[in-house]
Amino acid sequence: MKIGVYPGSFDPITYGHMDIVKRALKIFDKLIILVSVNPHKKTLFTEEERIAMIKDACEDKLEFIEIETSHDLTVAHAHKLGATHIVRGLRALTDFEYEFQMTHANRVLDKRIDSVFFMTDNKYSFLSSTTIKEIAQFDGDLSTFAPPKIAKALRDKFNH
Ligand code: ADP
């Protein structure tokens, strides 16, 4: 069984992340979505909220995914779970430099785990969790960025 690990903050999950999950599942039999917990990175949603939102958004794929949180190095966690690859998404060119650095760092840490990248659908190229949080803050229309339940959770967070 081919297992991939898709790490990220998912604060919250968007249609962009979901597009990467869909593409990765064409190659991997199982995808472990690894919700990063970084005490130095402040998130809008708690770990539990982010997991619940991923479950909602990927409701039709739960047979093929697992959702875990990681307090560990991604490569260490991936190896422990029997994964061979780290899955990441690429939007515009600006993602490249960061991903380039991360991939090389991860290779130095564990050369058994490689990284693969999926390019998102054009319409999600400029979509990020940060953008949708900013739009939600001003009660903008979120319908093209995230599923209705996620949009509602965002509106609730900002008391709209
Ligand atoms: P991180 O804080 O680790 O970057 P994110 O949740 O922002 O976590 O992103 C996790 C992964 O999903 C990254 O590889 C990122 O490039 C990718 N990603 C985020 N938004 C999109 C999108 N709109 N289209 C494709 N990939 C995306």
Side-chain angles (χ1 to χ4, degrees):
M1 177 149 64
K2 202 93 193 133
I3 305 174
V5 161
Y6 181 24
S9 316
F10 304 100
D11 184 42
I13 188 166
T14 68
Y15 282 140
H17 294 119
M18 289 162 69
D19 184 65
I20 301 301
V21 169
K22 188 184 78 189
R23 288 170 200 279
L25 282 177
K26 288 186 187 152
I27 291 182
F28 294 98
D29 303 304
K30 188 156 113 194
L31 190 67
I32 296 158
I33 302 182
L34 202 55
V35 179
S36 50
V37 183
N38 180 347
H40 303 295
K41 201 166 167 182
K42 189 159 168 22
T43 54
L44 178 67
F45 293 100
T46 65
E47 184 180 323
E48 292 76 20
E49 287 171 327
R50 286 182 280 151
I51 292 174
M53 286 188 282
I54 295 171
K55 252 188 212 146
D56 271 341
C58 300
E59 215 176 4
D60 58 333
K61 298 185 179 63
L62 291 179
E63 201 184 326
F64 308 107
I65 64 170
E66 268 173 36
I67 308 162
E68 300 216 357
T69 46
S70 177
H71 300 264
D72 215 346
L73 277 175
T74 302
V75 281
H77 207 106
H79 186 68
K80 215 161 39 195
L81 297 170
T84 51
H85 290 81
I86 292 172
V87 168
R88 296 284 287 177
L90 285 178
R91 289 162 287 192
L93 269 183
T94 42
D95 277 340
F96 182 79
E97 200 166 331
Y98 176 71
E99 297 296 341
F100 187 80
Q101 283 175 11
M102 284 300 295
T103 301
H104 284 287
N106 282 330
R107 266 192 197 154
V108 171
L109 291 167
D110 188 338
K111 61 179 184 308
R112 295 166 298 189
I113 310 282
D114 215 338
S115 301
V116 286
F117 300 88
F118 291 93
M119 262 192 247
T120 185
D121 192 296
N122 249 345
K123 59 180 183 281
Y124 305 131
S125 286
F126 296 97
L127 174 56
S128 70
S129 301
T130 307
T131 313
I132 71 165
K133 281 181 277 193
E134 280 170 12
I135 296 170
Q137 198 173 349
F138 299 105
D139 203 18
D141 178 11
L142 297 169
S143 58
T144 56
F145 306 130
K149 279 188 185 166
I150 313 299
K152 183 179 179 313
L154 275 160
R155 278 196 300 272
D156 289 349
K157 239 339 159 198
F158 290 109
N159 299 316
H160 292 309

